[in-house]
């Protein structure tokens, strides 16, 4: 009879194996926890030591605003002490935002919200809570396409010792018309100061070499301040404006754009008139057609006769190759008087109409006036007293002052005739230029429908809102657009942000009010 022998393991060897397994398990758990913690807090723990980028495209849906404006000091002190407890008790998909953003009016911006579930959280009675549908912060809505050719040329201008942008173009300056006065002091868009230094590039110099000569700035600062796309493409005798500090980049950029605008004005050449036709299609508007033809809306208005304010498909429009209007001579008209009335030089009219004898024109003959606007004549008429019609032309008698201000700021350039601060030319300004910081929220001046949202020539990014009774408002030079064409907007709704797109020297809002197709002075319409 065989007996099986069982191998016995010594107690000391068994303990060693158990200890090894325990150590291995603890090490594995430790590694797992370290990897998880590293992924979760790398941006918080270590990212705080340097400026780290974050994604601005995070959805804002579901944010909560907590209004503390009505709390007294005792409540605020208690709130700070309990802040951590409150934050821990908010549901995962709700984020407390303190304080209210500047764009929101704490007394009126919070809509009433019922049945707000805070997961059992109890807040002081003086704290009001509301869920807000914040506008999506996007750079663009829709595809604006490439820049118009004139703006591409503007971006490509390089200041140099030959074209430094300090010289002003010669202009046909005329006496002030009867009843019309230009501003006593010129409007300043780019304020000349000591916020930059002028540097003339020498042969062989690189941007890095230049930056080392001036302290406190980087190559990116100089690139941005001078609108340079390539740091390696510098040429001898090129002029660079070096900002004194990063805070002066915007001021320097305004001066660079002012100089570029003057260079453009010096290089402008008058072209003979050419006319083409455009057949209106479904969905077209004067704004979209003007953009596609690289013209101002007033040019289309001054080149065609519209029976109604609604643009009908199939209508054929006359489209000139440049901005201006067609003028039909009346009995007693002389070319010199017409040129003076519209502030266009006779020499320029000759170059645009080379085959026309200007001094033999009779009543019924038509001529193209380059750069003229159809509303300029009404503003130039002598002002009457008593029951004058000037009030009616500005729209003040029929206006109920129903429009709100889209932004708050200094009016740098009013409506009407002005001597342009950059080109020094006599120019009719169809709106108000309101100074505001880049990125400032632009609000709709009234209820309406977005008639156009996109790029439009020298206006840059534009929003046009159609209101009741044939009135519309235009918001130009935006940095970003927050609404889409066809959207219904309410008074005070965020529709865009202030910028400097298009042909402009610095960030501001160009704001227009139009009755039908004609611009009017916005001031009598604002409350």
């Amino acid at each position: 009879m065989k007996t099986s022998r069982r191998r016995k393991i010594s107690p000391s060897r068994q303990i060693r194996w158990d200890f090894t397994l325990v150590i291995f398990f603890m090490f594995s758990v430790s590694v797992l926890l370290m990897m998880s913690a590293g992924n979760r807090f790398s941006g918080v723990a270590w990212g705080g030591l340097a400026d780290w980028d974050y994604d601005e495209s995070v959805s804002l849906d579901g944010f909560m605003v907590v209004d503390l404006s009505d709390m007294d000091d005792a409540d605020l002190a208690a709130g700070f002490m309990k802040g951590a407890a409150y934050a821990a008790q908010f549901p995962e998909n709700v984020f407390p935002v303190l304080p209210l953003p500047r764009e929101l009016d704490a007394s009126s911006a919070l809509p009433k919200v019922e049945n707000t579930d805070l997961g059992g959280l109890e807040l002081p009675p003086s704290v009001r809570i509301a869920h807000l549908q914040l506008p999506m912060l996007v750079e663009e809505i829709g595809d604006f396409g490439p820049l118009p050719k004139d703006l591409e040329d503007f971006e490509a201008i390089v200041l140099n010792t030959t074209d430094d942008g300090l010289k002003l173009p010669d202009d046909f300056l005329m006496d002030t018309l009867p009843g019309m006065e230009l501003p006593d002091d010129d409007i300043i868009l780019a304020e000349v100061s000591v916020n930059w230094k002028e540097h003339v590039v020498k042969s062989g110099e690189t941007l890095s070499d230049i930056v080392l000569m001036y302290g406190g700035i980087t190559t990116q600062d100089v690139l941005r301040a001078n609108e340079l796309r390539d740091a390696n493409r510098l040429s001898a005798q090129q002029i660079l404006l070096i900002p004194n500090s990063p805070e002066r980049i915007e001021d320097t950029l305004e001066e660079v754009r002012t100089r570029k605008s003057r260079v453009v004005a010096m290089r402008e050449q008058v072209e003979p008139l050419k006319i083409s036709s455009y057949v209106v299609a479904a969905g077209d508007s004067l704004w979209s057609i003007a953009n596609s033809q690289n013209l101002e809306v007033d040019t289309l208005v001054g080149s065609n006769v519209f029976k109604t304010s609604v643009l009908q498909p199939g209508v054929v429009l006359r489209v000139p190759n440049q901005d201006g209007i067609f003028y039909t001579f009346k009995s007693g008209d002389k070319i010199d008087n017409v040129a003076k009335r519209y502030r266009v030089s006779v020499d320029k009219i000759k170059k645009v109409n080379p085959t026309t004898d200007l001094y033999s024109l009779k009543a019924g003959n038509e001529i193209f006036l380059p750069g003229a606007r159809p509303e300029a004549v009404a503003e130039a008429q002598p002002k009457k007293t008593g029951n004058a019609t000037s009030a009616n032309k500005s729209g003040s008698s029929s206006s109920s002052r129903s429009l709100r201000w889209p932004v708050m700021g200094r009016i740098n350039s009013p409506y009407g005739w002005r001597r342009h601060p950059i080109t020094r030319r006599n120019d009719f300004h169809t709106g108000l230029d309101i100074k505001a910081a880049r990125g400032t929220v632009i609000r709709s001046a009234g209820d309406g429908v977005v008639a156009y949202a996109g790029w439009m020539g020298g206006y840059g990014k534009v929003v046009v809102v159609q209101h009741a009774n044939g009135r519309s408002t235009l918001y130009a030079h935006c940095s970003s657009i927050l609404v889409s064409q066809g959207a219904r907007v309410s008074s005070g709704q965020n529709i865009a942000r202030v910028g400097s797109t298009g042909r402009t020297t610095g960030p501001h809002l160009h704001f227009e009010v139009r009755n039908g197709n004609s611009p009017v002075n916005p001031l009598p319409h604002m409350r």
Side-chain angles (χ1 to χ4, degrees):
M1 180 176 178
K2 295 182 179 179
T3 59
S4 59
R5 294 184 178 180
R6 191 173 187 179
R7 187 178 180 182
K8 296 182 178 180
I9 301 175
S10 63
S12 61
R13 183 177 295 179
Q14 185 173 356
I15 292 174
R16 285 198 300 270
W17 274 105
D18 292 343
F19 181 77
T20 302
L21 291 174
V22 171
I23 294 299
F24 178 78
F25 177 77
M26 294 177 63
F27 178 79
S28 301
V29 172
S30 300
V31 171
L32 183 62
L33 291 175
M34 290 174 63
M35 292 177 62
S36 176
N39 290 335
R40 183 174 182 182
F41 297 109
S42 60
V44 176
W46 297 105
L49 298 179
D51 293 333
W52 50 287
D53 295 329
Y54 58 91
D55 185 9
E56 294 183 350
S57 62
V58 178
S59 174
L60 298 179
D61 292 340
F63 267 61
M64 174 174 286
V65 173
V66 181
D67 181 14
L68 303 181
S69 59
D70 296 331
M71 295 183 68
D72 55 26
D73 294 340
D75 288 336
L76 284 174
F80 285 128
M81 296 298 293
K82 299 177 181 178
Y86 285 157
Q89 297 178 56
F90 272 99
E92 288 183 1
N93 62 340
V94 177
F95 300 88
V97 181
L98 305 174
L100 285 173
R102 282 188 300 176
E103 299 97 279
L104 297 175
D105 180 2
S107 62
S108 61
L110 295 177
K112 182 178 180 181
V113 176
E114 298 179 355
N115 301 325
T116 303
D117 183 13
L118 295 179
L121 172 63
E122 294 184 2
L123 295 175
S126 56
V127 177
R128 294 187 297 128
I129 300 173
H131 290 281
L132 296 181
Q133 288 297 108
L134 298 181
M136 181 173 56
L137 303 184
V138 293
E139 276 304 308
E140 298 176 342
I141 289 183
D143 180 12
F144 298 129
L147 290 177
K149 186 178 184 305
D150 62 331
L151 287 176
E152 288 179 351
D153 295 341
F154 179 80
E155 296 288 335
I157 289 176
V158 176
L159 300 176
N160 53 55
T161 52
T162 303
D163 289 329
D164 56 9
L166 296 176
K167 296 182 290 293
L168 295 172
D170 294 331
D171 187 32
F172 178 68
L173 298 177
M174 294 171 290
D175 297 332
T176 302
L177 298 176
M180 249 287 301
E181 293 184 1
L182 290 174
D184 293 332
D185 52 346
D186 294 318
I187 299 152
I188 300 174
L189 293 184
E191 184 177 350
V192 178
S193 64
V194 291
N195 295 330
W196 59 81
K197 299 179 181 67
E198 188 172 302
H199 181 88
V200 179
V201 179
K202 299 179 179 61
S203 180
E205 269 188 335
T206 66
L207 190 57
S208 299
D209 297 333
I210 297 171
V211 168
L212 289 176
M213 301 178 190
Y214 305 89
I217 58 170
T218 66
T219 55
Q220 291 299 320
D221 294 338
V222 178
L223 287 173
R224 181 183 167 195
N226 291 271
E227 288 190 313
L228 301 178
R229 298 180 180 178
D230 190 348
N232 299 317
R233 297 187 63 179
L234 298 182
S235 57
Q237 304 304 309
Q238 180 176 346
I239 293 177
L240 296 178
L241 298 188
I242 313 298
N244 291 342
S245 66
E247 291 75 24
R248 299 301 181 186
I249 291 176
E250 287 289 340
D251 298 330
T252 307
L253 180 57
E254 287 192 26
E255 175 66 11
V256 169
R257 288 185 169 179
T258 300
R259 295 190 185 192
K260 284 186 176 184
S261 297
R262 288 173 177 163
V263 171
V264 169
M266 291 291 292
R267 294 180 181 177
E268 281 181 348
Q269 296 180 350
V270 179
E271 297 181 359
L273 176 66
K274 295 180 181 179
I275 303 174
S276 59
S277 299
Y278 182 90
V279 180
V280 177
D284 275 344
S285 67
L286 282 179
W287 310 102
S288 62
I289 297 172
N291 178 55
S292 67
Q293 302 300 313
N294 196 22
L295 294 171
E296 294 185 356
V297 170
D298 293 321
T299 295
L300 296 179
V301 174
S303 301
N304 299 274
V305 177
F306 298 95
K307 296 180 180 179
T308 64
S309 58
V310 179
L311 203 57
Q312 300 293 337
V315 172
V316 179
L317 299 181
R318 181 169 51 171
V319 180
N321 64 332
Q322 56 194 286
D323 283 314
I325 64 172
F326 286 89
Y327 178 80
T328 302
F329 267 63
K330 302 176 180 61
S331 178
D333 275 344
K334 302 293 182 183
I335 187 60
D336 292 332
N337 295 333
V338 172
K340 186 174 183 179
R341 198 182 312 154
Y342 284 90
R343 300 200 168 207
V344 183
S345 69
V346 175
D347 181 61
K348 195 171 184 178
I349 297 175
K350 286 181 181 178
K351 291 178 179 178
V352 173
N353 304 271
T355 60
T356 303
D357 183 358
L358 301 182
Y359 291 96
S360 62
L361 292 171
K362 300 178 181 178
N365 293 150
E366 192 178 56
I367 194 74
F368 186 79
L369 304 178
R373 295 179 180 273
E375 62 275 3
V377 173
E379 288 293 319
Q381 297 301 322
K383 298 178 181 178
K384 299 179 182 180
T385 57
N387 57 349
T389 59
S390 58
N392 292 334
K393 291 180 179 179
S394 68
S396 60
S397 62
S398 60
S399 171
S400 59
R401 291 189 176 272
S402 59
L403 298 179
R404 61 170 291 159
W405 287 94
V407 296
M408 300 305 294
R410 170 189 171 187
I411 296 178
N412 273 0
S413 189
Y415 176 87
W417 283 106
R418 65 174 180 175
R419 185 161 296 135
H420 198 281
I422 297 173
T423 64
R424 316 299 282 181
R425 293 176 175 172
N426 288 327
D427 173 62
F428 190 87
H429 194 225
T430 54
L432 304 176
D433 284 348
I434 307 174
K435 186 73 172 178
R438 188 185 305 275
T440 301
V441 170
I442 301 171
R443 297 182 173 89
S444 177
D447 299 337
V449 177
V450 178
Y452 183 77
W455 189 277
M456 194 166 66
Y459 280 152
K461 294 180 183 179
V462 166
V463 176
V464 178
V465 178
Q466 186 69 47
H467 308 285
N469 302 322
R471 182 188 296 169
S472 61
T473 51
L474 175 144
Y475 314 80
H477 304 308
C478 305
S479 62
S480 60
I481 294 176
L482 307 178
V483 292
S484 56
Q485 187 166 323
R488 202 166 271 284
V489 297
S490 57
S491 178
Q493 180 176 333
N494 297 354
I495 58 175
R497 292 185 180 274
V498 171
S500 57
T501 56
R503 186 176 288 188
T504 178
T505 59
H508 70 274
L509 171 65
H510 173 84
F511 175 65
E512 291 186 11
V513 176
R514 289 178 176 256
N515 284 335
N517 296 326
S518 301
V520 296
N521 189 351
L523 291 178
H525 297 269
M526 311 308 295
R527 64 171 186 258

